Amino acid sequence: MRILVVEDDDVLRDGLEQGLALDGHTADSVSRCIDAREAAAGFAYDAIVLDIGLPDGSGLDLLREWRREGRITPVLLLTARNMTEDRIEGLDLGADDYLGKPFDLGELGARLRALVRRDGGRAEPRIRVGPLEIDPAMRRVSIERRPIDLSRREFAVLEVLARRPGHIASRSAIEEAIYGWQEEVGSNAVEVHIHKLRAKLGADMIETVRGLGYRMRVSAVL
Ligand code: CA
């Protein structure tokens, strides 16, 4: 998943970025409202982790703006401990969840997975496409219960495709989903990941749609 982190505390922001990366996500992080606005307008994030007290405004105002504009990205608010009013206001403004500081990174990861799962209309935490099963929490993949060992990027590419089987994901959409701003992306990086995924999962699972991108074969859904 690609996640936007809006947090002005440097230590916390770095910790969040590293923790999310360890969980297999790609995190872009900003510390001001103005940058958060620009980031959210430029990319459809899977989820946003939003601090409230920011140097150039309030995260609650940002949230209000986004919801007014019709932006439906799941938002998890980071609130100060005991700030019940912030939580109530945030939830009423359209936040999907909150965590009080200090929080546990493991809990944050689990809450984000739950948010994205519900956003996709799924209650079941595991993704199943035919014989393929993906467990986003444990980052495990299996085919007919046989475990498959994937790298972080391979897992991320597979997750993008498996969340919407039968739908085409363009190369640039896959790149955007798995690489953050600061990362150098080789011109054939996606092709390389797809090639490795096919070698590990079987050649039939992922189809190339010439000129458009890739998709999980519909036959694999049956
Ligand atoms: Ca703050």
Side-chain angles (χ1 to χ4, degrees):
M1 302 195 290
R2 186 151 164 196
I3 293 160
L4 177 65
V5 172
V6 188
E7 167 61 63
D8 62 318
D9 181 305
D10 294 341
V11 175
L12 185 50
R13 195 178 56 248
D14 289 351
L16 279 167
E17 223 176 297
Q18 284 165 21
L20 290 170
L22 278 178
D23 248 1
H25 307 304
T26 301
D28 294 330
S29 62
V30 295
S31 55
R32 298 180 305 165
C33 294
I34 183 173
D35 302 317
R37 242 176 234 121
E38 196 178 328
F43 185 78
Y45 287 95
D46 294 301
I48 299 176
V49 176
L50 180 62
D51 184 31
I52 293 180
L54 296 164
D56 58 342
S58 161
L60 293 174
D61 290 335
L62 261 184
L63 176 62
R64 182 182 292 115
E65 272 174 47
W66 285 334
R67 294 307 187 231
R68 272 193 192 145
E69 289 164 4
R71 203 171 291 284
I72 56 165
T73 312
V75 169
L76 185 147
L77 282 180
L78 300 179
T79 66
R81 209 214 296 249
N82 298 329
M83 288 301 284
T84 315
E85 294 97 15
D86 282 352
R87 293 174 185 177
I88 295 170
E89 190 182 355
L91 290 168
D92 281 341
L93 284 173
D96 299 274
D97 200 359
Y98 66 83
L99 262 181
K101 298 178 187 178
F103 53 84
D104 180 271
L105 273 175
E107 183 177 2
L108 176 81
R111 284 175 181 272
L112 287 173
R113 284 191 293 275
L115 286 187
V116 171
R117 185 165 75 224
R118 289 200 296 269
D119 188 43
R122 291 183 302 120
E124 159 65 43
R126 274 166 289 193
I127 303 169
R128 291 198 180 87
V129 184
L132 176 77
E133 186 174 301
I134 302 174
D135 181 343
M138 304 305 290
R139 298 214 301 123
R140 281 192 198 130
V141 175
S142 62
I143 289 188
E144 281 161 352
R145 298 181 188 278
R146 180 172 51 92
I148 310 282
D149 192 27
L150 298 183
S151 72
R152 179 162 92 84
R153 302 280 195 214
E154 288 159 15
F155 185 91
V157 173
L158 181 65
E159 207 180 353
V160 169
L161 295 170
R163 281 190 189 281
R164 299 185 73 208
H167 289 259
I168 298 169
S170 68
R171 194 179 78 174
S172 60
I174 297 174
E175 273 176 8
E176 284 190 347
I178 68 169
Y179 292 100
W181 296 330
Q182 276 103 11
E183 293 177 287
E184 193 83 18
V185 186
S187 60
N188 64 342
V190 170
E191 281 85 345
V192 171
H193 295 315
I194 296 277
H195 179 77
K196 289 190 177 152
L197 279 172
R198 282 179 176 146
K200 292 179 181 181
L201 304 173
D204 294 342
M205 205 123 221
I206 301 168
E207 186 182 6
T208 302
V209 185
R210 202 169 289 281
L212 294 176
Y214 302 94
R215 76 178 154 207
M216 205 91 190
R217 260 186 208 283
V218 177
S219 58
V221 181
L222 302 175

